[in-house]
């Protein structure tokens, strides 16, 4: 089998991607009345997973507060639609005090390291401004954010997020000064035994003596082993504490006060967030020691806009000569989303089914690394940017995107598909794509696969936006043309990414016994569309396309019941049955004739001997269609010299014990190029039948019947 990647080479480097005619598909036009009219909050990139929003929230401080100072915070709310009940949440870190008296917001309540104030307000098309107050209680970085959601109609078009990032100083001569913005890449962490209430942290680590001279501690000598243990945790948007898994841990130390510090041990946290690193003491007593955590591993990393990974360190300990337990360490609130994004990629990593220590079995260590770009306040994100290799590719997330693990997994699934395709990427124009809108079969395939991965990894079959609104991939309701297209009224067919996602999830769960076979199929074949994946590539990889398998996409409005499998013969014989009294196969690439498209075709007869060859496939023609058509491209070459039909090709339909011949072609129809021929199958609506070509040749002077791109379409 020739890998299909080979046929893309000429297309990838072109200025515009050209989809071969045999695979191209035009999506159903989307009525303007069905498209959102929102323009208040438009994604900075057309690749973004979030649509434009009809509401917006903006934050502005009347001045930057110094430690101990109280300033006004203006929260501006705008809307292009009437919103009767809009939930507004304003969040500050625990280094700020939020004062809500006189506003419709509740008193702040603790949510992890933040303080949240909530309230419900009504919005119309007039701007509304609320005035709150903020008091700075500690120096350092701080992010104030606000989230707005329509309670009655939650959807990404009726949600908004706003934030402001600042550094609190003292504003005293010679000391730190309050300023806007902050570099949060490297910040000190906080330690303690106060948290870890989440079930994600499966166990506490055993306590060991923490300082020299402690109860039961035994001082070590130079060259003796010492072990440093502890754990790392972060919070999600709901304030739940979670263990940070598979992140880099480094033990730094100094032998003396004047010695340069260096790394003495490094490793990864385990699946509970715990670490335990042991090394030989270079001296009997270390001057100082601390632990650094970095948002990187050998296979993925989270960086800021400058490409720097995030770092959090424990407080230093001095005069270390025994084992140390540093307890649980948590990052500053401003960094939490970076660590949440990093931890979420574990879920895709465990799901990937590569069989190697890399993302795909195309590689062995050292592996390609997935890069996630995130920084506080970023408004351009929610997409995957494919490059020529891993170093040139990246995921970019907006400020609050890590709040949705589904979205982060979705983007990492794009990166996984890119690697499975060996750095080929279908550069389709997917601008403005949405789960329920028909755009193109190419976009629906890449986005649908990513949606299916997110729903499968999370086990809920949903896509959830950062605000918490969600949509199920298992929507099986057919489009109601009397109502506008929406999150509850999806377009039909394989140009809709949500329909593709639901079909994939059902196939994985009900037919394939999991995803491993599809992962291998993507790695070895590569696809332009879900139709190519299902009809052409599943048969050649031993995956079912029988009636039950076809019924699953049909439940998601993708009707392949009448479609022919491997219709272009590019995968050889899978999907087809054939017989020959003359010997040899009827499907291949012989070089005598070019294929109509691709490299392979069907060739019946051409032996110059008496005999018969057949080519057939069983299909089901739906009953709820207006018509059905069998079509193929045909080329006939002959050595016969008389206008007598000595050699024939019959186009037949077998329905039970009845065989109907739709047409008989012969040497008299010889033509030097491909001709498209089509035949009406409407009489067999609601029936399962076999479509068959029967070639018959006499004892002399051969005739070649060449067929390619054979399809059955319904209307």
């Amino acid at each position: 089998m020739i890998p299909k990647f080979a046929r893309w080479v000429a297309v990838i480097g072109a200025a515009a991607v050209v989809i071969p005619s045999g695979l191209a598909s035009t999506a159903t036009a989307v009525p303007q009345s069905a498209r959102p009219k929102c323009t208040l909050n438009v994604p900075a990139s057309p690749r973004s997973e979030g649509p434009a929003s009809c509401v917006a929230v903006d934050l502005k401080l009347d001045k930057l507060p110094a430690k101990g100072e109280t300033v006004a915070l203006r929260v501006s709310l705008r809307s292009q639609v009437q919103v009767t009940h809009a939930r507004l949440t304003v969040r500050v870190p625990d280094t700020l005090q939020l004062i809500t008296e006189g506003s419709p917001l509740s008193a702040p309540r603790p949510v992890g390291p933040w303080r949240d104030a909530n309230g419900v307000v009504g919005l119309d098309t007039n701007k509304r401004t609320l005035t709150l107050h903020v008091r700075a209680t500690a120096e350092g970085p701080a992010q104030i954010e606000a989230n707005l959601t329509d309670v009655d109609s939650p959807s990404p078009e009726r949600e908004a997020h706003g934030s402001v990032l600042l550094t609190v100083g003292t504003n005293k001569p010679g000391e730190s000064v309050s300023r806007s913005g902050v570099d949060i890449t490297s910040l000190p962490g906080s330690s303690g035994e106060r948290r870890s209430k989440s079930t994600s942290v499966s166990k506490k680590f055993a306590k060991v003596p923490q300082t020299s001279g402690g109860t039961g501690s035994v001082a070590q000598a130079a060259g003796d082993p010492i072990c440093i243990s502890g754990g790392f945790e972060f919070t999600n948007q709901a304030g739940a504490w979670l263990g940070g898994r598979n992140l880099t841990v480094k033990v730094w130390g100094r032998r003396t006060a004047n010695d340069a510090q260096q790394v003495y041990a490094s490793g990864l946290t385990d699946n509970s967030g715990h670490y335990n690193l042991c090394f030989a003491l270079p001296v009997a007593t270390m001057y100082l020691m601390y632990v650094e955590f970095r948002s990187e591993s050998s296979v993925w990393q989270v960086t800021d806009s400058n490409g720097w990974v995030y770092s959090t360190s424990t407080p230093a300990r001095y005069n270390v000569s025994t084992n140390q337990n540093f307890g649980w360490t948590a990052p500053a609130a401003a960094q939490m989303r970076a660590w949440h994004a990093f931890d979420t990629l574990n879920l895709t990593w465990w799901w990937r089914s590569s069989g190697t220590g890399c993302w795909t079995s195309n590689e062995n260590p050292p592996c390609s690394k997935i890069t996630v770009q995130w920084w506080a306040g970023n408004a351009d994100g929610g997409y995957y940017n494919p490059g020529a290799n891993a170093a040139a590719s990246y995921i970019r997330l907006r400020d609050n995107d890590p709040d949705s693990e589904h979205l982060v997994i979705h983007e990492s699934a794009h990166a996984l598909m890119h690697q499975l395709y060996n750095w080929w990427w279908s550069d389709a124009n997917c601008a403005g794509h949405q789960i329920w809108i028909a755009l193109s079969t190419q976009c629906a395939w890449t986005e649908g696969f990513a949606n299916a991965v997110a729903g499968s990894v999370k086990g809920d079959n949903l896509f959830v936006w950062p605000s918490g609104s969600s949509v199920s991939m298992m929507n099986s309701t057919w489009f109601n043309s009397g109502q506008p297209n929406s999150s509850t009224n999806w377009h039909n067919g394989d140009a809709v990414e949500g329909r593709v996602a639901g079909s994939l999830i059902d196939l994985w769960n009900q037919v394939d016994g999991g995803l491993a076979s599809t992962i291998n199929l993507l790695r070895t074949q590569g696809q332009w569309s879900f139709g190519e994946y299902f009809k052409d590539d599943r048969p050649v990889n031993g995956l079912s396309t029988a009636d039950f398998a076809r019924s699953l996409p049909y439940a998601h409005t993708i009707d392949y019941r009448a479609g022919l499998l491997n219709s272009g013969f590019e995968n050889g014989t899978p999907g087809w049955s054939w017989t020959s009294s003359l010997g040899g196969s009827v499907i291949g690439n012989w070089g005598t004739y070019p294929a109509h498209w691709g490299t392979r075709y069907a060739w019946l007869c051409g032996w110059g001997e008496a005999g018969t060859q057949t080519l057939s496939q069983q299909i089901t023609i739906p009953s709820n269609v207006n018509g059905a058509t069998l079509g193929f491209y045909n080329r006939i070459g002959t050595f016969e010299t008389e206008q007598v039909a000595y050699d024939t090709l019959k186009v037949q339909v077998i329905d039970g014990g009845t065989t109907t011949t739709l047409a008989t072609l012969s040497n008299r129809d010889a033509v030097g190029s491909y001709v498209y021929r089509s035949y009406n199958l409407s009489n067999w609506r609601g029936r399962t039948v076999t479509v068959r070509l029967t070639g018959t040749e006499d004892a002399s002077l051969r005739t070649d019947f060449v067929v390619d791109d054979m399809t059955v379409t319904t209307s």
Side-chain angles (χ1 to χ4, degrees), residues 250-265:
K250 295 185 176 183
V251 177
W252 290 83
R254 279 178 168 180
R255 292 177 296 178
T256 67
N258 297 322
D259 192 23
Q261 68 180 25
Q262 59 181 299
V263 176
Y264 285 93

Side-chain angles (χ1 to χ4, degrees), residues 209-476:
Q210 296 188 20
T211 58
S212 59
T215 302
S217 63
V218 179
Q220 313 289 77
D224 286 344
I226 185 175
C227 294
I228 308 301
S229 62
F232 184 88
E233 58 185 350
F234 64 94
T235 63
N236 61 16
Q237 73 279 9
W241 289 98
L242 307 170
R245 301 163 291 189
N246 287 326
L247 56 91
T248 294
V249 186
K250 295 185 176 183
V251 177
W252 290 83
R254 279 178 168 180
R255 292 177 296 178
T256 67
N258 297 322
D259 192 23
Q261 68 180 25
Q262 59 181 299
V263 176
Y264 285 93
S266 63
L268 301 176
T269 57
D270 65 17
N271 289 340
S272 69
H274 173 235
Y275 63 91
N276 187 56
L277 303 177
C278 301
F279 60 96
L281 273 174
V283 293
T285 300
M286 294 286 291
Y287 171 70
L288 71 78
M289 191 177 293
Y290 67 91
V291 180
E292 180 195 19
F293 306 91
R294 296 173 63 83
S295 60
E296 63 179 343
S297 70
S298 62
V299 283
W300 74 88
Q301 63 182 359
V302 177
T303 73
D304 68 3
S305 58
N306 297 312
W308 298 335
V309 299
Y310 290 86
S311 170
T312 292
S313 299
T314 66
R317 291 186 179 176
Y318 294 85
N319 300 320
V320 176
S321 61
T322 62
N323 294 339
Q324 299 290 301
N325 183 331
F326 277 80
W328 287 99
T329 301
Q335 279 191 347
M336 286 294 183
R337 287 188 172 113
W339 298 102
H340 192 183
F342 179 91
D343 187 74
T344 298
L345 261 74
N346 281 291
L347 304 180
T348 311
W349 173 256
W350 294 325
W351 181 91
R352 75 196 188 286
S353 189
S354 77
T356 72
C358 297
W359 284 101
T360 78
S361 55
N362 292 334
E363 296 182 330
N364 286 297
C367 310
S368 296
K369 182 181 289 190
I370 292 177
T371 295
V372 179
Q373 297 178 351
W374 174 88
W375 59 95
N378 177 37
D380 172 27
Y383 58 84
Y384 175 66
N385 187 76
N389 50 44
S393 306
Y394 58 85
I395 296 166
R396 180 167 292 176
L397 301 178
R398 293 163 298 184
D399 180 31
N400 65 330
D401 280 346
D403 292 351
S404 168
E405 293 184 350
H406 290 77
L407 189 149
V408 176
I409 295 168
H410 175 106
E411 303 305 340
S412 66
H414 283 320
L416 176 63
M417 176 181 267
H418 196 191
Q419 292 198 31
L420 288 167
Y421 283 171
N422 203 24
W423 308 112
W424 173 84
W425 186 251
S426 170
D427 193 16
N429 179 11
C430 298
H433 75 89
Q434 292 188 45
I435 288 170
W436 46 85
I437 288 181
L439 190 59
S440 72
T441 55
Q442 201 171 350
C443 288
W445 171 238
T446 55
E447 298 297 335
F449 174 79
N451 288 333
V453 173
S456 177
V457 168
K458 292 293 292 180
D460 55 16
N461 302 332
L462 300 176
F463 185 86
V464 180
W465 283 272
S467 62
S469 64
S470 64
V471 62
S472 171
M473 296 299 105
M474 310 314 284
N475 181 2
S476 58

Side-chain angles (χ1 to χ4, degrees), residues 573 576-587 590 602-616 692-697 703 705:
T573 58
W576 295 96
S577 298
W578 60 274
T579 65
S580 175
S581 66
L582 299 168
S585 174
V586 299
I587 296 175
W590 294 272
W603 183 356
L604 290 85
C605 300
W607 291 82
E609 301 176 13
T612 300
Q613 292 180 312
T614 67
L615 179 69
S616 63
R692 184 175 71 184
L693 300 179
T694 301
T696 303
E697 197 169 20
T703 299
F705 297 103

Side-chain angles (χ1 to χ4, degrees), residues 11-28:
V11 179
I12 297 169
V17 171
V18 179
I19 303 176
S21 59
L23 296 177
S25 174
T26 302
T28 305

